Amino acid sequence: MSDALILMHTALAVVGIVLLIVVARINPVIILVVGSLYLGLATGLGFDATTTAVAQGFGDLMADVGLIIGFGVLLGSLLSTTGALQRIVELFLRVCGREKSPYVLGLTSGVVFPSIYFDVALVMLAPIARSVAARTGVGIASLGGALAIGLEAGLLMVLPGAAALAGAGALGVSLGTMLLFGLPVAIVCIVVGIFLHSALMRRTWKPAKDESTFNGGVDGMTMAEAEQPRRTLALPVVLLPILVPLALIVTGTIADTAGVSGGPIAFLSNPIVALLIGLLLACGITVYMLSRDALEKSLSKGASTSGTILLFTGVAGSLGEVISRTGIGDIISGLFTASSLSPLLLAWIVAALLRLAQGSGSVAAITAATLLAPVMGGLDTAAVLVLLAAAAGASFGGHVSDNTFWMFRTLLGLSTRGTFQVYTLSQSVMSVVGLVVVLGLSVFA
């Protein structure tokens, strides 16, 4: 099949999925599977290969993030039940205030949480974002957008973000240079991106249409009314279920950077093991402060929540796998040559198109960087700026083929229309800001 037909069918599938979900209001899970089947058959994968891709995409994604999401949601439910979440929010608001809360959330997720796996950071920070929105009236649009911008900037631009590390390796950028340029660029992108996105949301956000009109299975992710505890604990002790997993994962990241692999450190810093330890700590604290019955009720509530999130996330993995098997990434990469555009614009455009086509920001950034790696020696542009341009482009336009899109939808209690505004639009704004910043730096670098 010709490349043009593959591109056309991919575009039809994505547009059709969006229209049927947003306009016709058909359940996204059903439409994502139907769209995946259509795309596989229309692009010539065949009957068996298409159904295999749908099942494998779901299974592979669940193998990667299923337990992480499940444990994270259960942990959030227990933190809400014990009142720890309420105390975190009160401390957060005392420190930063109402007006600064989106910026503090965005900068924290972008500068502190690159050491943490993206999905772990999201399931930990999402209930805080929802609760701060409920307490302050700032609105979930601004706080959710800040979270989307911060996490994406941290993943793609800030060390030790996974994509930032991989891209630096592909282009031969030293970690010191990447840190020197990446962190300031990310901070500017986060602050300016949040400011512009929040301004847009004041004009376009409609709670009746953009926030979920039913509980959507996300009750466990809100700041529920805490039971009256029979015993109290100091805040640092109550926060151990969050602090211990974070410390373990950060330790593992540092060990990897230092070239230490395997052994107890690698085992304990694995996100699944680290979150399980946090969950066990939360269970013990819940029983001590409340009762075993309260623990069981909270876990049941969290399990119900995680089921919805896992289903939405998994079928997005099905669509992503089918798109990957069509070879659209290679098609888009082949449309460009290093001499056709400014290297910075080229890196940004290729990464943006790859993100639009196949969903993963990490894959888009790394592929765009790898595409230019063979010719970097003949370019006058600094390699670190090319890498940051690719990172900015890879932030553009994440949508229904991105499993994180659906995690944001369910974790933040949004409609599909609202998720496009909170997730897709916010990161696209940051992407354009990033391109402008990198082009400005190229004048001096």
Side-chain angles (χ1 to χ4, degrees):
M1 180 174 291
S2 70
D3 292 350
L5 281 176
I6 292 177
L7 290 170
M8 182 193 74
H9 284 301
T10 303
L12 285 174
V14 171
V15 172
I17 288 170
V18 172
L19 290 177
L20 287 171
I21 293 173
V22 176
V23 179
R25 296 175 181 258
I26 301 176
N27 186 281
V29 173
I30 297 172
I31 294 304
L32 283 167
V33 175
V34 171
S36 301
L37 294 173
Y38 160 77
L39 181 59
L41 295 174
T43 54
L45 290 184
F47 295 105
D48 290 341
T50 297
T51 53
T52 299
V54 170
Q56 186 173 329
F58 187 98
D60 287 349
L61 188 58
M62 288 298 98
D64 287 337
V65 303
L67 286 174
I68 290 174
I69 293 173
F71 288 164
V73 172
L74 292 176
L75 181 58
S77 181
L78 291 175
L79 291 173
S80 178
T81 298
T82 59
L85 187 58
Q86 293 89 325
R87 293 167 73 178
I88 293 171
V89 171
E90 289 168 2
L91 177 63
F92 182 90
L93 293 177
R94 272 203 310 271
V95 171
C96 67
R98 176 183 181 277
E99 297 301 327
K100 296 178 182 177
S101 56
Y103 297 97
V104 174
L105 182 64
L107 288 169
T108 301
S109 58
V111 175
V112 177
F113 278 82
S115 304
I116 313 302
Y117 288 80
F118 189 105
D119 302 303
V120 176
L122 177 57
V123 295
M124 285 186 169
L125 292 174
I128 295 176
R130 291 192 70 183
S131 300
V132 171
R135 282 285 301 276
T136 63
V138 169
I140 193 60
S142 294
L143 286 160
L147 186 58
I149 289 171
L151 288 175
E152 194 74 1
L155 172 70
L156 299 172
M157 298 179 179
V158 181
L159 295 178
L165 279 171
L171 289 183
V173 178
S174 71
L175 296 186
T177 301
M178 185 61 193
L179 186 62
L180 181 64
F181 281 82
L183 183 59
V185 170
I187 290 173
V188 173
C189 289
I190 291 170
V191 173
V192 178
I194 291 172
F195 174 80
L196 295 175
H197 177 257
S198 297
L200 285 171
M201 290 302 95
R202 287 193 287 271
R203 294 175 176 271
T204 64
W205 188 258
K206 302 182 186 306
K209 293 182 178 180
D210 297 324
E211 297 175 23
S212 181
T213 54
F214 57 96
N215 63 28
V218 295
D219 288 337
M221 301 306 296
T222 58
M223 188 173 69
E225 187 70 28
E227 294 186 30
Q228 188 65 31
R230 60 181 184 178
R231 301 185 184 95
T232 59
L233 290 169
L235 183 59
V237 176
V238 176
L239 293 183
L240 284 176
I242 295 177
L243 299 177
V244 170
L246 293 182
L248 289 172
I249 295 172
V250 170
T251 301
T253 302
I254 294 171
D256 285 341
T257 304
V260 179
S261 60
I265 293 178
F267 175 76
L268 293 173
S269 63
N270 181 286
I272 294 173
V273 176
L275 278 175
L276 177 60
I277 292 172
L279 182 58
L280 291 174
L281 287 171
C283 288
I285 289 173
T286 303
V287 172
Y288 178 82
M289 293 182 64
L290 299 170
S291 65
R292 184 178 294 274
D293 184 55
L295 171 66
E296 293 302 324
K297 288 180 180 179
S298 183
L299 290 176
S300 296
K301 190 176 185 180
S304 174
T305 299
S306 61
T308 301
I309 297 170
L310 290 172
L311 189 58
F312 275 95
T313 304
V315 293
S318 297
L319 177 61
E321 178 66 19
V322 172
I323 289 175
S324 175
R325 294 195 183 195
T326 64
I328 194 168
D330 294 333
I331 293 171
I332 291 175
S333 297
L335 294 176
F336 295 90
T337 63
S339 59
S340 60
L341 285 171
S342 154
L344 298 180
L345 283 174
L346 174 65
W348 189 91
I349 292 172
V350 172
L353 289 175
L354 286 169
R355 177 68 185 275
L356 287 166
Q358 50 77 45
S360 170
S362 298
V363 172
I366 295 167
T367 302
T370 304
L371 180 66
L372 286 175
V375 296
M376 282 308 301
L379 298 177
D380 294 330
T381 307
V384 67
L385 296 183
V386 175
L387 177 55
L388 290 172
S395 304
F396 188 87
H399 56 90
V400 295
S401 63
D402 182 356
N403 66 286
T404 311
F405 177 94
W406 299 103
M407 290 178 67
F408 264 82
R409 182 186 188 275
T410 49
L411 288 170
L412 296 181
L414 307 173
S415 68
T416 303
R417 180 185 186 274
T419 312
F420 273 108
Q421 295 203 70
V422 165
Y423 184 73
T424 307
L425 182 58
S426 68
Q427 292 189 355
S428 298
V429 169
M430 185 198 80
S431 175
V432 175
V433 171
L435 175 62
V436 173
V437 173
V438 171
L439 289 175
L441 285 174
S442 68
V443 176
F444 306 99

